[in-house]
């Protein structure tokens, strides 16, 4: 799987769900993202093949170190961008929605500058 926005979304969702509830299954991801179970199963298969996740014999999904690194980066970008947008007066819902879209395409340089700015 060429890890693009959709793959990153799955990994971030697995991270978020695992923080809420230790055990994560495909059905949990489907409900969280409002995707069909077959779509999620296919994506998880690709993420597993590329060693971003491990699926045990009971169907529980866990991030590998590789998957955790990507998920944590995306999650951090989401938090930082949401906070930044709210700090400049954007409503919470709009900030969260915009952060969801931007977190996947923003450059490391721009992200680092936003973080620097937020520390001031």
């Amino acid at each position: 799987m060429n890890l693009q926005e959709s793959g990153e979304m799955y990994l971030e969702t697995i991270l978020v769900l695992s923080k809420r509830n230790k055990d994560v299954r495909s059905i949990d991801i489907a409900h969280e993202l409002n995707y069909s179970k077959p779509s999620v199963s296919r994506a998880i298969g690709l993420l597993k093949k590329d060693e971003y996740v491990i699926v045990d014999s009971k169907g529980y999904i866990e991030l590998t170190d590789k998957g955790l690194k990507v998920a944590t980066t995306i999650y951090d970008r989401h938090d930082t961008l949401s906070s930044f947008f709210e700090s400049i007066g954007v409503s919470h819902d709009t900030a969260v929605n915009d952060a969801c879209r931007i977190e996947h395409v923003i450059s490391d340089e721009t992200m680092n500058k936003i973080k620097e700015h937020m520390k001031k």
Side-chain angles (χ1 to χ4, degrees), residues 18 41 51:
S18 69
S41 293
E51 301 178 343

Side-chain angles (χ1 to χ4, degrees), residues 1-19 24 29 33 35 43-44 46-48 50-54 61-75 103-104:
M1 173 182 270
N2 185 2
L3 197 61
Q4 304 260 328
E5 181 176 345
S6 65
E8 291 174 350
M9 280 300 297
Y10 279 104
L11 295 174
E12 182 184 21
T13 300
I14 294 166
L15 177 65
V16 168
L17 289 171
S18 69
K19 288 179 181 217
V24 178
I29 298 166
L33 295 174
Y35 291 171
I44 293 302
L46 294 171
L47 290 170
K48 181 180 173 184
D50 289 341
E51 301 178 343
Y52 289 101
V53 299
I54 297 168
I61 302 164
E62 185 178 335
L63 295 168
T64 62
D65 289 342
K66 180 180 172 181
L68 181 61
K69 182 179 178 182
V70 173
T72 303
T73 298
I74 297 301
Y75 185 76
E103 67 195 18
H104 304 284

Side-chain angles (χ1 to χ4, degrees), residues 30-94:
H31 287 143
E32 184 75 13
L33 295 174
N34 200 28
Y35 291 171
S36 71
K37 176 85 166 73
S39 294
V40 173
S41 293
R42 182 180 185 292
I44 293 302
L46 294 171
L47 290 170
K48 181 180 173 184
K49 178 181 169 273
D50 289 341
E51 301 178 343
Y52 289 101
V53 299
I54 297 168
V55 182
D56 73 13
S57 61
K58 295 180 182 178
Y60 293 112
I61 302 164
E62 185 178 335
L63 295 168
T64 62
D65 289 342
K66 180 180 172 181
L68 181 61
K69 182 179 178 182
V70 173
T72 303
T73 298
I74 297 301
Y75 185 76
D76 177 60
R77 286 177 172 201
H78 179 89
D79 271 356
T80 301
L81 290 167
S82 295
S83 296
F84 175 69
F85 295 149
E86 286 188 61
S87 77
I88 60 172
V90 176
S91 70
H92 175 76
D93 288 345
T94 300

